[in-house]
Amino acid sequence: MNKMKKYLLCILGMLSALVSITSCQETNEIEKLYLTRCWQLSSVYGTAADVNLYVDFDEDGEFVICQLTDGYTYAVFKGTYTTTVDGDKSVLSGVYDDGTPWVSDYTYVVDSTRRELILESVDSPSVTSVYVPAEMPDYTRGVGFASANIVKPL
Amino acid sequence: MKRVFNIIFATLLLSACTADLEEQRVSVANGSINDKIVNGSEGSVEGSLLVRFETSAESRLAECATRSGATRTGIGGVDALLDEVGGYSVEPVFVVTERNREKVYAAGLHLWYELHFDKTSDVDAVAAKLAGEAEVNRVQFVHRVYRVDSPKAVGCSEVELSADTRATNTTDRIPFNDVYSRYQWGFNNLGIRSEVKKKSVEGQESSVVGADINVVPAWKLCKGDPSIVVAIVDEGVMNTHEDLAANIWVNYAELSGKTGVDDDGNGYKDDIYGFNFCHMNGTISWDKKRDQGHGTHVAGIVAAVNNNGIGVCGIAGGSGNSDGVRLMSLQIFSGSDNATTSNVVRAMQYAADNGAHVLQCSWGYLSAETEGVSSINLGPANDRSYKQLCGLEANAIDYFIKNGGTADGPIDGGLAIFAAGNDEAPLTCYPAAYEPCVAVAAFNPSLRPAYYTDYGPGTDICAPGGESLYDYGDILSTVPPVEGLVAKGTKCYGLQQGTSQACPHVSGVAALGLSYAKQLGKRYTAKEFRSLLLSATNDIEPYLTGGIAFSDIYGNYYSYNYEDYKGKMGAGYIDAYKLLLQVEGTPFKVVKVGEEVEVDLSLYFGDGLANAQFLRTEISADENTDAEVSVGEYSDGKIKLSCAKRGVATISVTMLVGGGSLSDGTKPYPTEVTRKFVVIAKERASANGGWL
């Protein structure tokens, strides 16, 4: 009877773990599905950020970061990202194309309406940034502010 | 008693005024004449005076302000005088309606009145008596705006462009199909179109690639927006021109209303396409005898219809789908007729009250440092004298800057843009030099100052103005079929040069920038947008070497040394693409906490920074997330900064352009240009600069 009980408990445990894993995977898949689109930074450290910073995550695990920086030029960074699950948290990691890893991994949350993405640094949990849906600007369109007009003295 | 001082608007920047401002300044300072009389009577309109009353008279004036055909003010002493001199009309200078009442009162414009009396009365004596009244604040003689052609001006000439065998330019980048766009070097200078006319000109440089407003890449972002309105204060704009008609501002309430009725309640009857302030009616004209086609030419530079297969391009002319900015015609010149001072300021108020975002003004007084001109003809030399002598006009400009635009538009207020003057003088003319305005000087196809341009204190920026010393070196734009200007049966396009042409290049770029801001849902204060405009520039200094010399047809010899213009062409030459990039957003820097970084301010102010003076740096931040930024001394166009902790801050840097200094009132005040960038301080920052 005890053997039977242990056997049933074992089966139950395995089933429970399976359900739990499946659930996590589903959650992760949904979160990732929600994640894949272009976002614009709206606040950092709890302060509204009136800046042009865009992050686009595609379904193939590639990202593009486009940030309006010195001289009104768009600095563009590309690379790959992965999503994993750590307990009940979805975690985002990435590597730039030049081999530089992101400065941190981030837990991420996307609300079900896909209107807000929140990233929180795994290393510094209080460092959060919030993003809203946006269209990626045509960052390939020009050479930017500093050298916009190519004129050389004769 | 008769003062020799007398200001007359001069115009089209070929213009002059007849005023001895120096004498007036001395007289006022000495208190030898009544301080309330701000200008002189010589050449003034007979039987008419402008009076600004004290606020204490407001309640008594209220009745005459609302009564049509009022003949008295309600102020005892003034009315007694009007009885004496046959006064037959008292009318407020500025229109007050239910819609604008609050704004007009806030600006104090409701206190200005125009008194009409018997023309045989001694206007000086009447002015003196008025000035003696306690409730009269100031008295101003009424003048007219006069056109005085510059002997060196090259009039708009008919060109049979299609006959030009050099018509095909396969490297042309202009994305529209307008057939004459290849001649618009001011938009797209490939260095091949405007060739040097070598005959009799010594030292002339070739046309320079990129000596233009860099609008072609800007057109990829925005081509215009019909909600943006540019008021052309000038000759009438030909609203039936084939290349303008689709971009003409239309007051639909009046278009569908009744003739002779103020259908929209804005104080003006039949103002369908603007208003004729010369004749005070709604009929805009452009082909009277002595018209120069000036208003139509200026309008085409701003917003000729793009991509319609005909004519020329306009900077904010849209894409051919009725999406260009709109051109409102406020006519102050008509053939031989000229608007009075009071009607010119009414035009400015009209622009503000009827939704114009940009006031495009290619006219002004003679520069106070014009050589070879009697001092009685010179205009003001600094802001103080301008406000004193032309206070009514200064008030109207201030009113437009504060109240222009629309409540739901991209700018809270308006931009007043004026030509710097064609007097070859090292001091910008007024009103351009008035600090709240943008003053535009001119350059030629080789990116050198055009020989006629005013420059120096007061000049904010420069733009293509054309130069007839080059083949097709003038500016090509739309013109009306004026006799002597366009031969019968030929195309209505013509060439013209002047700061009058440089000015609409900046107005057009401003309108394009506002269009883009509208599309992005952004809104600025007028001062913020002016800063954007004046920092969207490239450096002209490297081109200020050498010089030219030539003789005119009368054998007069002229020589110009470009070194003389160094540091005197404002913030540099306008760049449309840079403006749109700035409209797109505020740049930011990621700074690692505790590390010092150097910031090159030319990346925010444009390449013309070398000519600017550093004024101040300001830091703003949220109390809870303040990055505690420390900014070091300004040095050689750079500042150093560091952040003590994680957080966010906005850094505002203010520079002065346009020469002079804020404390020295003897020259025009320089213009403050403020640019912002955001600093985000992190404990750990990516080595490659990436955000994550």
Side-chain angles (χ1 to χ4, degrees), chain A residues 45 47 52-53 67 70-72 74 77 96 103 123 126 131 141 145 149 151, chain B residues 210 221 543 573 578 584 588-589 603-604 625 646 675 681 684 688-689 691-692:
Chain A
Y45 310 139
T47 296
N52 289 41
L53 185 142
Q67 51 195 66
D70 291 346
Y72 301 89
Y74 275 113
F77 301 88
Y96 293 103
V103 73
D123 303 332
S126 62
Y131 303 77
R141 67 185 172 225
F145 192 104
N149 207 11
V151 182
Chain B
L221 303 180
Y543 298 88
Y573 64 101
K578 284 186 177 182
E584 193 146 309
F588 72 96
K589 294 183 77 69
L603 297 173
Y604 302 95
T625 57
R646 183 175 74 208
R675 301 300 305 123
R684 297 173 62 201
N688 65 5
W691 169 247
L692 294 174

mmCIF file of all heavy atoms in Angstrom, chain A residues 45 47 52-53 67 70-72 74 77 96 103 123 126 131 141 145 149 151, chain B residues 210 221 543 573 578 584 588-589 603-604 625 646 675 681 684 688-689 691-692:
data_model
loop_
_atom_site.group_PDB
_atom_site.id
_atom_site.type_symbol
_atom_site.label_atom_id
_atom_site.label_comp_id
_atom_site.label_asym_id
_atom_site.label_seq_id
_atom_site.Cartn_x
_atom_site.Cartn_y
_atom_site.Cartn_z
ATOM 1 N N TYR A 45 14.015 55.167 -14.509
ATOM 2 C CA TYR A 45 14.108 55.441 -13.061
ATOM 3 C C TYR A 45 12.844 56.134 -12.553
ATOM 4 O O TYR A 45 12.883 56.900 -11.596
ATOM 5 C CB TYR A 45 15.301 56.347 -12.728
ATOM 6 C CG TYR A 45 16.616 55.924 -13.303
ATOM 7 C CD1 TYR A 45 17.494 56.855 -13.835
ATOM 8 C CD2 TYR A 45 17.004 54.583 -13.310
ATOM 9 C CE1 TYR A 45 18.719 56.485 -14.352
ATOM 10 C CE2 TYR A 45 18.227 54.202 -13.840
ATOM 11 C CZ TYR A 45 19.076 55.161 -14.357
ATOM 12 O OH TYR A 45 20.283 54.786 -14.872
ATOM 13 N N THR A 47 11.241 58.483 -14.120
ATOM 14 C CA THR A 47 11.125 59.842 -14.672
ATOM 15 C C THR A 47 10.801 59.766 -16.153
ATOM 16 O O THR A 47 11.439 58.985 -16.873
ATOM 17 C CB THR A 47 12.452 60.611 -14.495
ATOM 18 O OG1 THR A 47 12.701 60.756 -13.108
ATOM 19 C CG2 THR A 47 12.398 61.979 -15.134
ATOM 20 N N ASN A 52 14.368 60.088 -27.964
ATOM 21 C CA ASN A 52 14.040 59.185 -29.059
ATOM 22 C C ASN A 52 14.912 57.941 -28.962
ATOM 23 O O ASN A 52 16.017 57.899 -29.500
ATOM 24 C CB ASN A 52 14.269 59.881 -30.402
ATOM 25 C CG ASN A 52 13.234 60.953 -30.653
ATOM 26 O OD1 ASN A 52 12.869 61.688 -29.740
ATOM 27 N ND2 ASN A 52 12.764 61.046 -31.870
ATOM 28 N N LEU A 53 14.421 56.958 -28.218
ATOM 29 C CA LEU A 53 15.126 55.691 -28.118
ATOM 30 C C LEU A 53 14.148 54.572 -28.450
ATOM 31 O O LEU A 53 13.104 54.453 -27.814
ATOM 32 C CB LEU A 53 15.699 55.482 -26.718
ATOM 33 C CG LEU A 53 16.558 54.218 -26.620
ATOM 34 C CD1 LEU A 53 17.764 54.444 -25.742
ATOM 35 C CD2 LEU A 53 15.768 53.012 -26.129
ATOM 36 N N GLN A 67 18.899 55.025 -31.322
ATOM 37 C CA GLN A 67 18.868 56.093 -30.317
ATOM 38 C C GLN A 67 19.369 57.406 -30.897
ATOM 39 O O GLN A 67 20.428 57.456 -31.499
ATOM 40 C CB GLN A 67 19.647 55.668 -29.062
ATOM 41 C CG GLN A 67 21.049 55.153 -29.300
ATOM 42 C CD GLN A 67 21.615 54.418 -28.084
ATOM 43 O OE1 GLN A 67 21.123 53.340 -27.692
ATOM 44 N NE2 GLN A 67 22.649 55.001 -27.486
ATOM 45 N N ASP A 70 24.104 62.458 -29.904
ATOM 46 C CA ASP A 70 24.837 63.675 -30.274
ATOM 47 C C ASP A 70 24.658 64.020 -31.738
ATOM 48 O O ASP A 70 24.753 63.173 -32.615
ATOM 49 C CB ASP A 70 26.339 63.476 -30.023
ATOM 50 C CG ASP A 70 26.647 63.398 -28.548
ATOM 51 O OD1 ASP A 70 25.775 63.754 -27.749
ATOM 52 O OD2 ASP A 70 27.759 62.968 -28.222
ATOM 53 N N GLY A 71 24.457 65.300 -31.983
ATOM 54 C CA GLY A 71 24.387 65.760 -33.360
ATOM 55 C C GLY A 71 23.115 65.328 -34.062
ATOM 56 O O GLY A 71 23.048 65.351 -35.291
ATOM 57 N N TYR A 72 22.118 64.934 -33.306
ATOM 58 C CA TYR A 72 20.821 64.549 -33.886
ATOM 59 C C TYR A 72 20.980 63.419 -34.906
ATOM 60 O O TYR A 72 20.245 63.346 -35.878
ATOM 61 C CB TYR A 72 20.126 65.758 -34.529
ATOM 62 C CG TYR A 72 19.884 66.847 -33.521
ATOM 63 C CD1 TYR A 72 20.836 67.818 -33.290
ATOM 64 C CD2 TYR A 72 18.726 66.859 -32.758
ATOM 65 C CE1 TYR A 72 20.653 68.793 -32.316
ATOM 66 C CE2 TYR A 72 18.528 67.825 -31.796
ATOM 67 C CZ TYR A 72 19.499 68.794 -31.582
ATOM 68 O OH TYR A 72 19.312 69.749 -30.616
ATOM 69 N N TYR A 74 21.008 59.249 -35.555
ATOM 70 C CA TYR A 74 20.522 58.009 -34.959
ATOM 71 C C TYR A 74 21.676 57.015 -34.885
ATOM 72 O O TYR A 74 22.219 56.608 -35.910
ATOM 73 C CB TYR A 74 19.382 57.422 -35.785
ATOM 74 C CG TYR A 74 18.043 58.013 -35.418
ATOM 75 C CD1 TYR A 74 17.338 58.801 -36.313
ATOM 76 C CD2 TYR A 74 17.492 57.792 -34.156
ATOM 77 C CE1 TYR A 74 16.113 59.355 -35.972
ATOM 78 C CE2 TYR A 74 16.270 58.346 -33.801
ATOM 79 C CZ TYR A 74 15.581 59.118 -34.713
ATOM 80 O OH TYR A 74 14.391 59.667 -34.358
ATOM 81 N N PHE A 77 22.159 50.072 -33.163
ATOM 82 C CA PHE A 77 22.839 48.890 -32.633
ATOM 83 C C PHE A 77 21.975 47.671 -32.945
ATOM 84 O O PHE A 77 20.775 47.689 -32.691
ATOM 85 C CB PHE A 77 23.034 49.002 -31.118
ATOM 86 C CG PHE A 77 23.844 50.201 -30.706
ATOM 87 C CD1 PHE A 77 23.221 51.423 -30.481
ATOM 88 C CD2 PHE A 77 25.214 50.117 -30.556
ATOM 89 C CE1 PHE A 77 23.956 52.536 -30.109
ATOM 90 C CE2 PHE A 77 25.963 51.227 -30.186
ATOM 91 C CZ PHE A 77 25.334 52.441 -29.964
ATOM 92 N N TYR A 96 25.220 42.251 -28.596
ATOM 93 C CA TYR A 96 25.338 43.092 -29.797
ATOM 94 C C TYR A 96 26.122 42.345 -30.877
ATOM 95 O O TYR A 96 26.884 41.410 -30.583
ATOM 96 C CB TYR A 96 26.059 44.404 -29.453
ATOM 97 C CG TYR A 96 25.280 45.311 -28.525
ATOM 98 C CD1 TYR A 96 25.606 45.403 -27.170
ATOM 99 C CD2 TYR A 96 24.228 46.078 -28.999
ATOM 100 C CE1 TYR A 96 24.895 46.241 -26.323
ATOM 101 C CE2 TYR A 96 23.517 46.914 -28.164
ATOM 102 C CZ TYR A 96 23.842 46.993 -26.829
ATOM 103 O OH TYR A 96 23.132 47.820 -25.982
ATOM 104 N N VAL A 103 24.673 45.167 -20.975
ATOM 105 C CA VAL A 103 25.277 45.500 -19.707
ATOM 106 C C VAL A 103 24.618 44.732 -18.558
ATOM 107 O O VAL A 103 25.190 44.574 -17.484
ATOM 108 C CB VAL A 103 25.197 47.033 -19.489
ATOM 109 C CG1 VAL A 103 23.787 47.474 -19.165
ATOM 110 C CG2 VAL A 103 26.177 47.497 -18.449
ATOM 111 N N ASP A 123 20.638 42.758 -12.287
ATOM 112 C CA ASP A 123 21.713 43.112 -11.350
ATOM 113 C C ASP A 123 21.295 44.211 -10.380
ATOM 114 O O ASP A 123 21.730 44.238 -9.235
ATOM 115 C CB ASP A 123 22.939 43.602 -12.129
ATOM 116 C CG ASP A 123 23.412 42.561 -13.115
ATOM 117 O OD1 ASP A 123 23.182 41.366 -12.849
ATOM 118 O OD2 ASP A 123 23.984 42.937 -14.152
ATOM 119 N N SER A 126 16.218 47.863 -8.893
ATOM 120 C CA SER A 126 15.494 49.140 -8.852
ATOM 121 C C SER A 126 15.642 49.930 -10.147
ATOM 122 O O SER A 126 15.011 50.964 -10.323
ATOM 123 C CB SER A 126 15.998 49.982 -7.683
ATOM 124 O OG SER A 126 17.365 50.270 -7.854
ATOM 125 N N TYR A 131 8.589 51.279 -21.589
ATOM 126 C CA TYR A 131 8.533 51.546 -23.024
ATOM 127 C C TYR A 131 7.080 51.486 -23.487
ATOM 128 O O TYR A 131 6.268 50.768 -22.909
ATOM 129 C CB TYR A 131 9.354 50.497 -23.794
ATOM 130 C CG TYR A 131 10.797 50.424 -23.351
ATOM 131 C CD1 TYR A 131 11.138 49.772 -22.159
ATOM 132 C CD2 TYR A 131 11.812 51.017 -24.095
ATOM 133 C CE1 TYR A 131 12.453 49.723 -21.729
ATOM 134 C CE2 TYR A 131 13.135 50.968 -23.675
ATOM 135 C CZ TYR A 131 13.445 50.312 -22.488
ATOM 136 O OH TYR A 131 14.755 50.276 -22.070
ATOM 137 N N ARG A 141 18.029 56.711 -43.205
ATOM 138 C CA ARG A 141 17.744 57.698 -44.243
ATOM 139 C C ARG A 141 18.837 58.743 -44.471
ATOM 140 O O ARG A 141 18.887 59.362 -45.509
ATOM 141 C CB ARG A 141 16.477 58.441 -43.901
ATOM 142 C CG ARG A 141 16.670 59.276 -42.685
ATOM 143 C CD ARG A 141 15.407 59.929 -42.253
ATOM 144 N NE ARG A 141 15.656 60.550 -40.974
ATOM 145 C CZ ARG A 141 14.846 60.471 -39.958
ATOM 146 N NH1 ARG A 141 13.727 59.821 -40.038
ATOM 147 N NH2 ARG A 141 15.137 61.051 -38.833
ATOM 148 N N PHE A 145 22.973 64.960 -38.347
ATOM 149 C CA PHE A 145 23.101 66.396 -38.175
ATOM 150 C C PHE A 145 24.506 66.908 -38.504
ATOM 151 O O PHE A 145 24.677 67.857 -39.248
ATOM 152 C CB PHE A 145 22.787 66.704 -36.707
ATOM 153 C CG PHE A 145 22.597 68.151 -36.406
ATOM 154 C CD1 PHE A 145 21.333 68.642 -36.221
ATOM 155 C CD2 PHE A 145 23.671 69.008 -36.301
ATOM 156 C CE1 PHE A 145 21.134 69.971 -35.920
ATOM 157 C CE2 PHE A 145 23.485 70.336 -36.001
ATOM 158 C CZ PHE A 145 22.213 70.814 -35.819
ATOM 159 N N ASN A 149 25.075 68.335 -44.492
ATOM 160 C CA ASN A 149 25.278 69.030 -45.758
ATOM 161 C C ASN A 149 26.743 68.911 -46.128
ATOM 162 O O ASN A 149 27.602 69.379 -45.403
ATOM 163 C CB ASN A 149 24.879 70.492 -45.612
ATOM 164 C CG ASN A 149 24.446 71.091 -46.922
ATOM 165 O OD1 ASN A 149 24.251 70.370 -47.892
ATOM 166 N ND2 ASN A 149 24.306 72.389 -46.955
ATOM 167 N N VAL A 151 29.565 70.051 -47.659
ATOM 168 C CA VAL A 151 30.125 71.235 -48.305
ATOM 169 C C VAL A 151 31.566 71.371 -47.853
ATOM 170 O O VAL A 151 31.856 71.319 -46.668
ATOM 171 C CB VAL A 151 29.364 72.506 -47.887
ATOM 172 C CG1 VAL A 151 29.915 73.714 -48.606
ATOM 173 C CG2 VAL A 151 27.895 72.342 -48.192
ATOM 174 N N GLY B 210 26.437 72.187 -52.649
ATOM 175 C CA GLY B 210 25.914 72.220 -51.274
ATOM 176 C C GLY B 210 25.656 73.611 -50.735
ATOM 177 O O GLY B 210 25.235 73.755 -49.591
ATOM 178 N N LEU B 221 11.313 63.447 -45.212
ATOM 179 C CA LEU B 221 10.590 63.386 -43.938
ATOM 180 C C LEU B 221 9.258 64.119 -44.007
ATOM 181 O O LEU B 221 8.277 63.703 -43.401
ATOM 182 C CB LEU B 221 11.438 64.005 -42.824
ATOM 183 C CG LEU B 221 12.830 63.412 -42.591
ATOM 184 C CD1 LEU B 221 13.527 64.155 -41.457
ATOM 185 C CD2 LEU B 221 12.721 61.945 -42.254
ATOM 186 N N TYR B 543 34.249 80.117 -45.913
ATOM 187 C CA TYR B 543 34.126 80.689 -47.257
ATOM 188 C C TYR B 543 34.402 82.184 -47.288
ATOM 189 O O TYR B 543 34.365 82.794 -48.352
ATOM 190 C CB TYR B 543 32.721 80.421 -47.801
ATOM 191 C CG TYR B 543 32.460 78.945 -47.922
ATOM 192 C CD1 TYR B 543 31.943 78.229 -46.855
ATOM 193 C CD2 TYR B 543 32.792 78.261 -49.090
ATOM 194 C CE1 TYR B 543 31.747 76.870 -46.936
ATOM 195 C CE2 TYR B 543 32.593 76.901 -49.185
ATOM 196 C CZ TYR B 543 32.073 76.209 -48.097
ATOM 197 O OH TYR B 543 31.892 74.864 -48.192
ATOM 198 N N TYR B 573 24.489 79.328 -42.199
ATOM 199 C CA TYR B 573 23.442 79.259 -43.220
ATOM 200 C C TYR B 573 22.470 78.118 -42.940
ATOM 201 O O TYR B 573 22.830 77.043 -42.496
ATOM 202 C CB TYR B 573 24.021 79.211 -44.629
ATOM 203 C CG TYR B 573 24.849 78.017 -45.015
ATOM 204 C CD1 TYR B 573 24.301 76.994 -45.790
ATOM 205 C CD2 TYR B 573 26.185 77.917 -44.659
ATOM 206 C CE1 TYR B 573 25.061 75.917 -46.182
ATOM 207 C CE2 TYR B 573 26.953 76.836 -45.050
ATOM 208 C CZ TYR B 573 26.383 75.832 -45.804
ATOM 209 O OH TYR B 573 27.131 74.742 -46.189
ATOM 210 N N LYS B 578 18.568 69.635 -41.032
ATOM 211 C CA LYS B 578 18.952 69.722 -39.622
ATOM 212 C C LYS B 578 17.767 70.164 -38.765
ATOM 213 O O LYS B 578 17.593 69.701 -37.652
ATOM 214 C CB LYS B 578 20.108 70.698 -39.436
ATOM 215 C CG LYS B 578 21.450 70.153 -39.858
ATOM 216 C CD LYS B 578 22.562 71.125 -39.498
ATOM 217 C CE LYS B 578 23.920 70.535 -39.857
ATOM 218 N NZ LYS B 578 25.023 71.426 -39.475
ATOM 219 N N GLU B 584 12.520 66.204 -34.647
ATOM 220 C CA GLU B 584 12.243 64.790 -34.383
ATOM 221 C C GLU B 584 12.389 64.434 -32.906
ATOM 222 O O GLU B 584 11.652 63.596 -32.385
ATOM 223 C CB GLU B 584 13.178 63.923 -35.222
ATOM 224 C CG GLU B 584 12.757 62.483 -35.248
ATOM 225 C CD GLU B 584 13.067 61.827 -36.572
ATOM 226 O OE1 GLU B 584 12.689 62.391 -37.614
ATOM 227 O OE2 GLU B 584 13.692 60.771 -36.542
ATOM 228 N N PHE B 588 20.011 62.392 -26.489
ATOM 229 C CA PHE B 588 20.421 62.095 -25.124
ATOM 230 C C PHE B 588 21.789 61.437 -25.109
ATOM 231 O O PHE B 588 22.243 60.862 -26.095
ATOM 232 C CB PHE B 588 19.385 61.216 -24.423
ATOM 233 C CG PHE B 588 19.349 59.797 -24.902
ATOM 234 C CD1 PHE B 588 20.050 58.802 -24.219
ATOM 235 C CD2 PHE B 588 18.622 59.438 -26.014
ATOM 236 C CE1 PHE B 588 20.003 57.488 -24.651
ATOM 237 C CE2 PHE B 588 18.586 58.131 -26.452
ATOM 238 C CZ PHE B 588 19.272 57.146 -25.774
ATOM 239 N N LYS B 589 22.431 61.552 -23.971
ATOM 240 C CA LYS B 589 23.733 60.931 -23.757
ATOM 241 C C LYS B 589 23.622 59.998 -22.570
ATOM 242 O O LYS B 589 22.994 60.341 -21.568
ATOM 243 C CB LYS B 589 24.783 61.977 -23.389
ATOM 244 C CG LYS B 589 25.118 62.973 -24.457
ATOM 245 C CD LYS B 589 26.213 63.912 -23.983
ATOM 246 C CE LYS B 589 27.560 63.226 -24.035
ATOM 247 N NZ LYS B 589 28.026 62.957 -25.401
ATOM 248 N N LEU B 603 27.591 70.037 -31.965
ATOM 249 C CA LEU B 603 26.666 68.965 -32.355
ATOM 250 C C LEU B 603 25.226 69.321 -32.043
ATOM 251 O O LEU B 603 24.295 68.687 -32.523
ATOM 252 C CB LEU B 603 27.044 67.667 -31.646
ATOM 253 C CG LEU B 603 28.424 67.116 -31.996
ATOM 254 C CD1 LEU B 603 28.773 65.925 -31.123
ATOM 255 C CD2 LEU B 603 28.488 66.720 -33.473
ATOM 256 N N TYR B 604 25.038 70.344 -31.228
ATOM 257 C CA TYR B 604 23.684 70.761 -30.877
ATOM 258 C C TYR B 604 23.306 72.117 -31.461
ATOM 259 O O TYR B 604 22.142 72.412 -31.645
ATOM 260 C CB TYR B 604 23.531 70.808 -29.340
ATOM 261 C CG TYR B 604 23.825 69.472 -28.709
ATOM 262 C CD1 TYR B 604 25.087 69.185 -28.203
ATOM 263 C CD2 TYR B 604 22.864 68.475 -28.682
ATOM 264 C CE1 TYR B 604 25.374 67.937 -27.656
ATOM 265 C CE2 TYR B 604 23.136 67.240 -28.141
ATOM 266 C CZ TYR B 604 24.390 66.967 -27.637
ATOM 267 O OH TYR B 604 24.667 65.750 -27.114
ATOM 268 N N THR B 625 14.919 61.751 -8.956
ATOM 269 C CA THR B 625 15.782 60.982 -9.866
ATOM 270 C C THR B 625 16.886 61.859 -10.443
ATOM 271 O O THR B 625 17.406 61.595 -11.513
ATOM 272 C CB THR B 625 14.947 60.380 -11.010
ATOM 273 O OG1 THR B 625 14.272 61.452 -11.676
ATOM 274 C CG2 THR B 625 13.955 59.379 -10.507
ATOM 275 N N ARG B 646 23.101 57.862 -10.176
ATOM 276 C CA ARG B 646 22.185 57.387 -11.206
ATOM 277 C C ARG B 646 20.988 58.328 -11.312
ATOM 278 O O ARG B 646 20.467 58.789 -10.291
ATOM 279 C CB ARG B 646 21.718 55.992 -10.801
ATOM 280 C CG ARG B 646 20.820 55.326 -11.779
ATOM 281 C CD ARG B 646 20.541 53.930 -11.307
ATOM 282 N NE ARG B 646 19.615 53.890 -10.181
ATOM 283 C CZ ARG B 646 19.600 52.934 -9.265
ATOM 284 N NH1 ARG B 646 20.477 51.964 -9.298
ATOM 285 N NH2 ARG B 646 18.720 52.949 -8.292
ATOM 286 N N ARG B 675 19.571 75.304 -26.662
ATOM 287 C CA ARG B 675 19.399 73.915 -27.080
ATOM 288 C C ARG B 675 19.457 73.014 -25.845
ATOM 289 O O ARG B 675 20.145 73.330 -24.870
ATOM 290 C CB ARG B 675 20.493 73.497 -28.071
ATOM 291 C CG ARG B 675 20.535 74.335 -29.333
ATOM 292 C CD ARG B 675 19.216 74.274 -30.136
ATOM 293 N NE ARG B 675 18.849 72.919 -30.443
ATOM 294 C CZ ARG B 675 17.685 72.378 -30.087
ATOM 295 N NH1 ARG B 675 16.794 73.074 -29.420
ATOM 296 N NH2 ARG B 675 17.409 71.142 -30.414
ATOM 297 N N ALA B 681 22.234 59.037 -16.455
ATOM 298 C CA ALA B 681 23.415 58.513 -15.766
ATOM 299 C C ALA B 681 23.140 57.089 -15.287
ATOM 300 O O ALA B 681 22.115 56.831 -14.650
ATOM 301 C CB ALA B 681 23.759 59.409 -14.592
ATOM 302 N N ARG B 684 26.339 51.378 -14.695
ATOM 303 C CA ARG B 684 27.049 50.552 -15.681
ATOM 304 C C ARG B 684 26.538 50.939 -17.064
ATOM 305 O O ARG B 684 25.341 50.938 -17.317
ATOM 306 C CB ARG B 684 26.776 49.066 -15.426
ATOM 307 C CG ARG B 684 27.298 48.595 -14.072
ATOM 308 C CD ARG B 684 26.855 47.181 -13.786
ATOM 309 N NE ARG B 684 27.370 46.232 -14.764
ATOM 310 C CZ ARG B 684 26.839 45.029 -14.986
ATOM 311 N NH1 ARG B 684 25.762 44.662 -14.327
ATOM 312 N NH2 ARG B 684 27.372 44.219 -15.872
ATOM 313 N N ASN B 688 30.010 49.887 -25.900
ATOM 314 C CA ASN B 688 29.825 50.327 -27.288
ATOM 315 C C ASN B 688 28.777 51.447 -27.421
ATOM 316 O O ASN B 688 28.460 51.874 -28.522
ATOM 317 C CB ASN B 688 29.459 49.139 -28.179
ATOM 318 C CG ASN B 688 28.110 48.531 -27.821
ATOM 319 O OD1 ASN B 688 27.388 49.042 -26.960
ATOM 320 N ND2 ASN B 688 27.755 47.431 -28.490
ATOM 321 N N GLY B 689 28.248 51.913 -26.309
ATOM 322 C CA GLY B 689 27.293 53.013 -26.346
ATOM 323 C C GLY B 689 25.852 52.573 -26.497
ATOM 324 O O GLY B 689 24.951 53.420 -26.507
ATOM 325 N N TRP B 691 22.168 51.156 -25.655
ATOM 326 C CA TRP B 691 21.318 51.492 -24.523
ATOM 327 C C TRP B 691 21.217 50.354 -23.518
ATOM 328 O O TRP B 691 21.249 50.578 -22.312
ATOM 329 C CB TRP B 691 19.929 51.873 -25.014
ATOM 330 C CG TRP B 691 18.877 51.986 -23.945
ATOM 331 C CD1 TRP B 691 17.798 51.184 -23.778
ATOM 332 C CD2 TRP B 691 18.834 52.946 -22.885
ATOM 333 N NE1 TRP B 691 17.068 51.581 -22.694
ATOM 334 C CE2 TRP B 691 17.683 52.672 -22.127
ATOM 335 C CE3 TRP B 691 19.648 54.003 -22.506
ATOM 336 C CZ2 TRP B 691 17.324 53.416 -21.006
ATOM 337 C CZ3 TRP B 691 19.287 54.751 -21.383
ATOM 338 C CH2 TRP B 691 18.138 54.457 -20.648
ATOM 339 N N LEU B 692 21.064 49.123 -23.987
ATOM 340 C CA LEU B 692 20.819 47.993 -23.075
ATOM 341 C C LEU B 692 22.115 47.313 -22.627
ATOM 342 O O LEU B 692 23.131 47.388 -23.303
ATOM 343 C CB LEU B 692 19.913 46.956 -23.749
ATOM 344 C CG LEU B 692 18.485 47.422 -24.036
ATOM 345 C CD1 LEU B 692 17.725 46.362 -24.835
ATOM 346 C CD2 LEU B 692 17.718 47.721 -22.735
#
